[in-house]
Amino acid sequence: MGSQLLAPGTAAARPTSDGVQAAPAPAPVPAELAALAALPEVQAVLDQLAAVPNFSAIAPPAATVPAPPPAATVPAPPPAAAAPVGATPWTAPTSQPLAVAPVSGTLTSAFGPRWGSSHAGLDIANSIGTPVYAAASGTVIDSGPASGFGLWVQVRHEDGSTSTYGHINETLVAVGQRVQAGEQIATVGNRGQSTGPHLHFETTDPAGTKVDPTRWLQQRGVPATDLSRMA
């Protein structure tokens, strides 16, 4: 076996007389190779190799790279609920003022001493029919004829204080009615003991004591600049 594997080559095949090529004669093996093949160690290795039909069969299989896991999918958000047909879109409520100036015009008389007596309110002159507004939210406690004022409206507010609107030309509210700050309740007039068209505006504290309407309005957020427009 060893001498056959180590043979470097064979002679060319020769044709015979009947036309069939004869097997080529083995080429002579060099003495050095023959001596090497005769060694027991070499012979044992050659015998082991000859017993293996295919060297690739004993090679370890090629390493396989595992396929990557499928990419995680993010679930789509649920569709937004459609507004009902005909629904009115929501809007933020408008903030309600705490207090407003009761009328526009010219301040002709302030709170305090006047002509040797005490003037208990503000006189604000303007033409007949000018709108008069509730200075703060509350409930109407009187509306109609009043001595000295001709016609008036009185409103009691949440804190127990009151406001009075005198010399009006007409009232637009009734007793027991709820009014909001800035809601029109009357018009400027010249009724009662009046020297010209104007609004007489009075205020009291919760105890019923008459107080300066200018300070009463300022304490409820009406800036002094709003009052100065009436001067």
Side-chain angles (χ1 to χ4, degrees), residues 17-165:
S17 57
D18 55 356
V20 179
Q21 289 188 348
V29 179
E32 295 81 2
L33 291 179
L36 182 62
L39 294 175
E41 297 85 351
V42 176
Q43 186 64 46
V45 173
L46 293 176
D47 291 340
Q48 291 176 4
L49 292 176
V52 179
N54 188 353
F55 289 107
S56 63
I58 63 174
T64 57
V65 178
T73 57
V74 179
V85 177
T88 302
W90 181 87
T91 55
T94 304
S95 59
Q96 180 68 32
L98 185 63
V100 300
V103 70
S104 62
T106 301
L107 182 63
T108 57
S109 185
F111 177 86
R114 186 183 69 168
W115 307 335
S117 61
S118 178
H119 185 235
L122 304 177
D123 284 349
I124 305 164
N126 209 326
S127 59
I128 294 177
T130 300
V132 174
Y133 306 103
S137 299
T139 302
V140 178
I141 58 174
D142 204 345
S143 175
S147 176
F149 289 120
L151 288 178
W152 73 0
V153 170
Q154 285 189 308
V155 178
R156 186 178 304 282
H157 305 287
E158 324 301 30
D159 61 354
S161 64
T162 66
S163 58
T164 299
Y165 312 78

Side-chain angles (χ1 to χ4, degrees), residues 27 68 71 93-94 101 109 134 152 154 176 185 208 210 212 217-218:
T94 304
S109 185
W152 73 0
Q154 285 189 308
I185 58 175
K210 293 181 180 181
D212 186 348
L217 288 169
Q218 289 177 332

Side-chain angles (χ1 to χ4, degrees), residues 135-214:
S137 299
T139 302
V140 178
I141 58 174
D142 204 345
S143 175
S147 176
F149 289 120
L151 288 178
W152 73 0
V153 170
Q154 285 189 308
V155 178
R156 186 178 304 282
H157 305 287
E158 324 301 30
D159 61 354
S161 64
T162 66
S163 58
T164 299
Y165 312 78
H167 302 302
I168 60 176
N169 190 58
E170 62 178 334
T171 175
L172 304 178
V173 293
V175 174
Q177 181 176 337
R178 283 283 304 170
V179 293
Q180 301 297 321
E183 180 179 344
Q184 185 177 354
I185 58 175
T187 58
V188 170
N190 191 30
R191 298 178 181 272
Q193 299 174 10
S194 173
T195 57
H198 73 283
L199 173 70
H200 177 85
F201 178 60
E202 287 186 9
T203 55
T204 69
D205 62 18
T209 303
K210 293 181 180 181
V211 295
D212 186 348
T214 301

